[in-house]
Amino acid sequence: AQKITQTQPGMFVQEKEAVTLDCTYDTSDQSYGLFWYKQPSSGEMIFLIYQGSYDEQNATEGRYSLNFQKARKSANLVISASQLGDSAMYFCAMREGRDSGYALNFGKGTSLLVTP
Amino acid sequence: EAGVAQSPRYKIIEKRQSVAFWCNPISGHATLYWYQQILGQGPKLLIQFQNNGVVDDSQLPKDRFSAERLKGVDSTLKIQPAKLEDSAVYLCASSSRPGINRDPYEQYFGPGTRLTVT
């Protein structure tokens, strides 16, 4: 079963607008971590933001914030004031607990295009 | 601090040939991961090492893929013989405890090796 679901294959947003990228997850662990990575066309995976399952406040990192709704098992990424350089693939990932070895499970990604 | 190094960055081979990829993790990182990312998909874990021992290789196609991490530092991933469906980017990542203000198991990714099998 898919552990991370990203339902938006592609998204468009105008420069300076905010955009939300959706992510839902499936786990029975109590302790887990949720991540968002950006992958530009050059291919490197760039860490954006992290949310721990026990964190009570939504994570924020500059223009990135994570809308964490634990009961709904969703961890949406919000990018405020989009910039042309934000155009890239965005991956949501989950790290589960000890039994899974702490490796990351990735979603299929969302392609974001920021237009002028 | 130097990041995760991978080589080569690009490789083109014909099917049935062999290929090897190399990864040098961040100094001191005990855990090393190899992921396969097929075009249009998210990365998928192939194998995870803790020091020089294998933690998880359940998704590694062992009939053709092999990996080793001698001395618990550098790692090599080999494909022999390659198939067309092995065309992908192979990402190496490493992580370490103790944690920082992020997830204690945060992974740092290398630039990847793009493999094309013709």
Side-chain angles (χ1 to χ4, degrees):
Chain A
Q2 191 74 14
K3 292 196 176 233
I4 295 288
T5 302
Q6 294 181 253
T7 57
Q8 306 153 314
M11 292 281 286
F12 292 88
V13 65
Q14 260 194 324
E15 204 176 1
K16 299 179 185 146
E17 297 291 313
V19 63
T20 298
L21 306 183
D22 294 342
C23 173
T24 57
Y25 60 92
D26 182 28
T27 182
S28 55
D29 282 4
Q30 296 301 309
S31 176
Y32 52 90
L34 296 158
F35 300 77
W36 278 91
Y37 284 87
K38 172 184 178 182
Q39 189 176 44
S41 56
S42 52
E44 72 268 33
M45 297 290 283
I46 301 169
F47 167 82
L48 294 178
I49 197 166
Y50 158 76
Q51 180 87 39
S53 57
Y54 293 119
D55 295 342
E56 295 185 351
Q57 291 196 330
N58 287 341
T60 60
E61 291 275 359
R63 294 186 299 111
Y64 304 107
S65 60
L66 199 151
N67 184 0
F68 181 46
Q69 297 189 43
K70 196 170 182 177
R72 294 186 177 184
K73 293 189 174 178
S74 75
N76 298 339
L77 176 71
V78 180
I79 305 174
S80 62
S82 297
Q83 301 172 355
L84 295 177
D86 293 336
S87 294
M89 284 293 294
Y90 288 80
F91 291 96
C92 179
M94 177 173 63
R95 185 268 309 151
E96 293 177 286
R98 178 184 295 273
D99 291 343
S100 66
Y102 307 114
L104 292 173
N105 273 296
F106 285 86
K108 293 186 176 181
T110 295
S111 176
L112 177 66
L113 182 62
V114 181
T115 59
Chain B
E1 177 181 73
V4 177
Q6 289 187 249
S7 68
R9 291 295 312 277
Y10 305 92
K11 190 74 177 179
I12 301 173
I13 61 172
E14 294 182 351
K15 60 183 179 184
R16 291 188 289 273
Q17 285 187 323
S18 301
V19 65
F21 313 129
W22 173 81
C23 173
N24 179 239
I26 292 173
S27 178
H29 279 195
T31 309
L32 186 147
Y33 310 81
W34 283 101
Y35 291 88
Q36 179 194 55
Q37 186 178 17
I38 293 172
L39 186 65
Q41 298 183 18
K44 180 188 81 172
L45 179 72
L46 290 176
I47 189 167
Q48 176 187 346
F49 292 95
Q50 179 75 17
N51 297 308
N52 60 348
V54 175
V55 173
D56 183 359
D57 63 356
S58 57
Q59 299 194 84
L60 186 74
K62 298 180 186 64
D63 58 334
R64 299 184 299 106
F65 285 65
S66 64
E68 60 182 9
R69 191 182 184 198
L70 299 176
K71 301 180 183 178
V73 182
D74 294 3
S75 177
T76 55
L77 176 69
K78 296 179 182 178
I79 308 175
Q80 180 179 13
K83 291 185 175 181
L84 295 176
E85 58 260 37
D86 298 332
S87 294
V89 175
Y90 291 85
L91 294 163
C92 179
S94 69
S95 68
S96 176
R97 298 185 71 179
I100 47 179
N101 59 344
R102 296 174 178 158
D103 182 56
Y105 305 103
E106 180 185 344
Q107 296 179 28
Y108 297 82
F109 284 84
T113 296
R114 186 178 297 275
L115 174 67
T116 302
V117 182
T118 63

